[in-house]
Amino acid sequence: MDVVLLLHGSRDPRYKESVRAFAERLGVRYAFLNELTRPSEAFYVPLFVAGGGDYRRAAALAGSSVPPLARWPGFGDYLRSLNADIYIFHGGDDEEYISDVKSLGLPYVFLEGEPSIQPSSCRDLAAPVVLTRGIIYDRIEAAWRDAGCRGELLPPLFEQEGFVDYFSQALSRLLPHAGGNT
């Protein structure tokens, strides 16, 4: 089965390189939502941390029923294994996105939305729950430092060896059960 990871996309070359390297390690292809007009004969996996407008658009375009990562079996456990004191999500005002983040049962703040990164958010170890380096990771890092936080920020998910292993195993469990274009 030809698997294609469908991601949001970015003009940031660090984002593109990170996606390319991650897909290569997994032996799958990738495509960006802003560049995809018509899916080819492949199984598309919309790869978004949580639900929301962009995820819904990607899932509809791909004809895929693969849920966002927040709903994957073991994703919350993987995040907990990082032993972070706080988890930083991109955020926004989409209720589906907020609900998915809350369902993980982790202490969290949002880059955009409430609760936001504040001095009271500062901890020794924070986990930005983003896929790659790039504009969003940079904004999280700047907001963290602007709030006066001096704790360590973990790297994005695609750079974590444990995430590569988790993702590969979880994807293989999801594929036989997912609907869409196979």
Side-chain angles (χ1 to χ4, degrees):
M1 175 184 328
D2 193 18
V3 175
V4 179
L5 304 178
L6 181 57
L7 299 104
H8 190 274
S10 172
R11 287 177 280 191
D12 190 309
R14 295 169 299 164
Y15 178 94
K16 290 180 177 181
E17 174 55 26
S18 182
V19 169
R20 185 204 59 73
F22 185 75
E24 188 174 279
R25 285 189 72 186
L26 294 170
V28 300
R29 294 187 304 134
Y30 65 92
F32 297 123
L33 184 59
N34 58 349
E35 298 170 357
L36 186 68
T37 55
R38 198 163 130 191
S40 64
E41 291 300 317
F43 186 84
Y44 283 77
V45 177
L47 191 48
F48 293 78
V49 170
D54 288 337
Y55 164 76
R56 289 188 296 272
R57 189 170 70 126
L61 182 62
S64 174
S65 64
V66 174
L69 283 170
R71 297 182 213 154
W72 283 32
F75 183 67
D77 293 334
Y78 173 75
L79 293 178
R80 274 185 279 290
S81 78
L82 300 175
N83 296 314
D85 302 307
I86 195 152
Y87 297 81
I88 305 171
F89 292 82
H90 181 256
D93 60 2
D94 189 290
E95 289 301 317
E96 181 183 14
Y97 186 95
I98 294 167
S99 176
D100 280 351
V101 170
K102 286 180 179 179
S103 74
L104 294 169
L106 301 166
Y108 69 90
V109 291
F110 291 127
L111 173 63
E112 297 175 0
E114 296 296 329
S116 62
I117 301 171
Q118 302 289 326
S120 61
S121 310
C122 296
R123 303 290 189 278
D124 290 334
L125 182 62
V129 186
V130 296
L131 299 174
T132 70
R133 289 198 192 269
I135 295 166
I136 301 303
Y137 188 90
D138 291 350
R139 287 180 55 211
I140 287 172
E141 187 172 38
W144 183 249
R145 301 297 174 217
D146 289 349
C149 302
R150 299 294 170 241
E152 179 185 355
L153 283 178
L154 291 175
L157 295 173
F158 281 8
E159 293 179 20
Q160 298 172 17
E161 193 64 36
F163 182 74
V164 175
D165 295 338
Y166 160 75
F167 186 88
S168 179
Q169 291 171 12
L171 182 62
S172 67
R173 288 191 305 264
L174 281 171
L175 289 179
H177 306 292
N181 54 339
T182 55

